[in-house]
Amino acid sequence: MLIVQKYGGTSVASPAHIRRVAERVAATKHQGHQPIVIVSAMAGETNRLVELAQAFGARHGREVDVLLASGEQVTASLMALALQSLGVAARSFLGYQARMITDSSHSRARIRQLDASTLLQVVDQGTIPVIAGFQGVDQAGNITTLGRGGSDTSAVAVAAAVKADLCEIYTDVDGVYTSDPRVCPDARKISRITYDEMMELASLGAKVLQIRSVELANAHGVKLHVRNSHNQEEGTMVVADNPHGEPDDLERVVVTGVSLDLDQARLTLIGAPSKPGLQSAVFGPLSEAGIVVDVIVQNPPIDGRTNLSFTLSESDLPTANQTLENLAKQLSAQRVFSDSGLAKVSIVGVGMRSHSGVAHRMFELLAASGIEILMISTSEIKVSCVIAREHGENAARALHAGFGLAG
Ligand code: ASP
Ligand code: MG
């Protein structure tokens, strides 16, 4: 099999870690497979580089990308050296050498194309390519990076381009869990999850995969296996819904995972004249101020005036509050109300598509725990409730147990 293996920062944190990973890669090769390796920077290195740039007030741009890309350059070289020291032929590739062509949006570049032929030639000669993740090059030859966590996306892009049989993402946990084990101690590792569910969980804050990598895997049908580099356990397979047409193939539970976001605050614009363009007048300036808005709720107008509420990260509250106060005056709204100390608890599962009453069950479980729901938002495979932060962990545990996810 042609297998892409991506090793995250904690798996390549030191020369000793790198040697252990190299042994694992060599074993894969000795089993008769053809591995292609993608590496992240050593754990903590990218943060260190980000801080260095901040010494000059720089957060992103051409030069910051040159700096950030150096983290993966180090590990690609060390991994190739480690493999060679085990007598295995290996060759490092920086993003541009692997022909990872991106657009020019520094620090969040998107991959445009990837020429697989160079990599496949190397593989055919029996040499293992070791590719620096997270980095690419734009058409003009500038070094770019793909955004934090981007080496997952590098790995999936390579897997799609070379038409790999499998893309393994190695990390320091055993896979994707039904909930955060620090909050729900009886959380279980999920053995199979669909791309859609994984995208929801990633957007709700599960950090195990960069969300773009899951989108890309979904678009190209790349089979992902998230697993622990420190053991041989099977991890979590991320696959298409019902990939072989066998209904039993996925764990047919209604809810697959429960997630908790403890960083929510809410702003409400009270008594805004209800008219076309109100929402764009409010959210335009907020987005220009770089504020990411989450759940939005608007009430039906009474006497021509409406209330518009939304949640956001608590650290954005002061800036957003100021922006909204200014807007309130311009729009002749009555006032702005702000509350902090909120959380968002969510249930995710493709089973919701075919089951009714899932949201109701969630509301019952929260009610039984005496937890007031402040806002609700839903998608086809997700229900989220905004609640007081002090109830966050209890809510997650009640839902995890109530939907039968406990191990
Ligand atoms: N080293 C980069 C980061 O820390 C990319 C990655 O690890 O995926 O964000
Ligand atoms: Mg990562």
Side-chain angles (χ1 to χ4, degrees):
M1 286 207 294
L2 186 56
I3 304 180
V4 170
Q5 297 188 326
K6 179 253 163 176
Y7 291 93
T10 50
S11 304
V12 294
S14 71
H17 286 79
I18 292 175
R19 181 166 302 124
R20 233 176 294 141
V21 166
E23 283 162 3
R24 185 165 193 135
V25 174
T28 308
K29 182 162 173 137
H30 293 142
Q31 284 157 18
H33 301 301
Q34 296 175 301
I36 296 179
V37 176
I38 318 285
V39 286
S40 285
M42 290 180 176
E45 178 63 7
T46 310
N47 289 343
R48 190 181 74 87
L49 296 168
V50 166
E51 274 170 32
L52 282 177
Q54 279 168 1
F56 300 96
R59 291 182 161 273
H60 33 72
R62 184 182 188 278
E63 305 315 327
V64 174
D65 275 1
V66 171
L67 177 68
L68 296 192
S70 69
E72 275 74 7
Q73 174 161 351
V74 169
T75 43
S77 153
L78 291 176
M79 186 65 70
L81 288 171
L83 284 163
Q84 289 166 5
S85 76
L86 298 173
V88 176
R91 182 167 166 186
S92 65
F93 285 85
L94 299 183
Y96 76 89
Q97 294 170 318
R99 313 257 194 282
M100 177 79 78
I101 312 292
T102 70
D103 64 18
S104 303
S105 343
H106 286 290
S107 305
R108 53 187 158 88
R110 299 192 79 90
I111 300 168
R112 285 251 177 89
Q113 67 192 64
L114 175 56
D115 173 13
S117 59
T118 322
L119 295 176
L120 286 171
Q121 265 170 26
V122 172
V123 171
D124 278 346
Q125 290 158 5
T127 299
I128 300 178
V130 180
I131 304 164
F134 179 54
Q135 54 173 272
V137 62
D138 73 3
Q139 300 281 3
N142 300 299
I143 291 175
T144 54
T145 63
L146 309 182
R148 296 307 303 269
S151 48
D152 296 334
T153 302
S154 307
V156 173
V158 168
V162 303
K163 301 196 167 44
D165 297 290
L166 183 63
C167 180
E168 294 182 324
I169 307 281
Y170 283 97
T171 175
D172 56 355
V173 292
D174 283 349
V176 182
Y177 280 75
T178 51
S179 194
D180 183 342
R182 283 165 302 185
V183 176
C184 301
D186 50 6
R188 277 182 307 111
K189 182 185 75 193
I190 302 168
S191 55
R192 277 176 172 250
I193 190 168
T194 69
Y195 296 118
D196 288 348
E197 290 169 324
M198 196 60 232
M199 279 188 266
E200 284 285 7
L201 287 176
S203 71
L204 291 169
K207 294 217 171 56
V208 56
L209 285 174
Q210 195 195 36
I211 182 161
R212 275 170 55 197
S213 71
V214 190
E215 281 165 15
L216 196 62
N218 186 20
H220 294 274
V222 174
K223 233 198 263 171
L224 291 178
H225 188 182
V226 181
R227 55 193 307 198
N228 196 330
S229 64
H230 303 297
N231 63 41
Q232 299 292 331
E233 301 289 310
E234 293 283 309
T236 302
M237 294 293 308
V238 189
V239 294
D241 195 359
N242 197 3
H244 312 295
E246 295 160 19
D248 305 336
D249 208 48
L250 288 164
E251 294 167 275
R252 279 289 154 200
V253 291
V254 179
V255 170
T256 307
V258 172
S259 76
L260 178 63
D261 173 356
L262 288 171
D263 176 27
Q264 294 259 308
R266 175 169 63 175
L267 280 171
T268 306
L269 183 63
I270 295 172
S274 180
K275 56 175 188 223
L278 169 67
Q279 297 73 10
S280 84
V282 170
F283 294 111
L286 286 167
S287 109
E288 273 158 36
I291 285 154
V292 179
V293 167
D294 190 0
V295 181
I296 303 175
V297 169
Q298 186 183 334
N299 296 328
I302 294 171
D303 298 332
R305 287 187 180 266
T306 186
N307 297 342
L308 186 59
S309 292
F310 56 89
T311 64
L312 68 171
S313 164
E314 194 156 302
S315 57
D316 284 339
L317 193 57
T319 316
N321 196 15
Q322 194 51 53
T323 310
L324 201 62
E325 290 281 3
N326 298 339
L327 283 167
K329 284 192 206 99
Q330 285 169 29
L331 297 166
S332 349
Q334 285 157 347
R335 61 192 178 96
V336 172
F337 182 75
S338 127
D339 35 11
S340 51
L342 303 180
K344 183 177 71 172
V345 66
S346 309
I347 54 173
V348 172
V350 286
M352 283 181 214
R353 287 193 182 124
S354 50
H355 284 74
S356 57
V358 180
H360 175 231
R361 176 87 186 116
M362 178 180 196
F363 304 152
E364 266 181 350
L365 288 164
L366 294 177
S369 302
I371 298 170
E372 185 187 358
I373 299 170
L374 306 173
M375 291 165 101
I376 300 167
S377 101
T378 66
S379 83
E380 209 191 1
I381 63 164
K382 178 202 76 176
V383 185
S384 296
C385 293
V386 176
I387 58 179
R389 187 173 302 151
E390 56 182 4
H391 296 315
E393 300 202 345
N394 266 341
R397 285 191 281 265
L399 297 172
H400 193 260
F403 283 104
L405 296 178

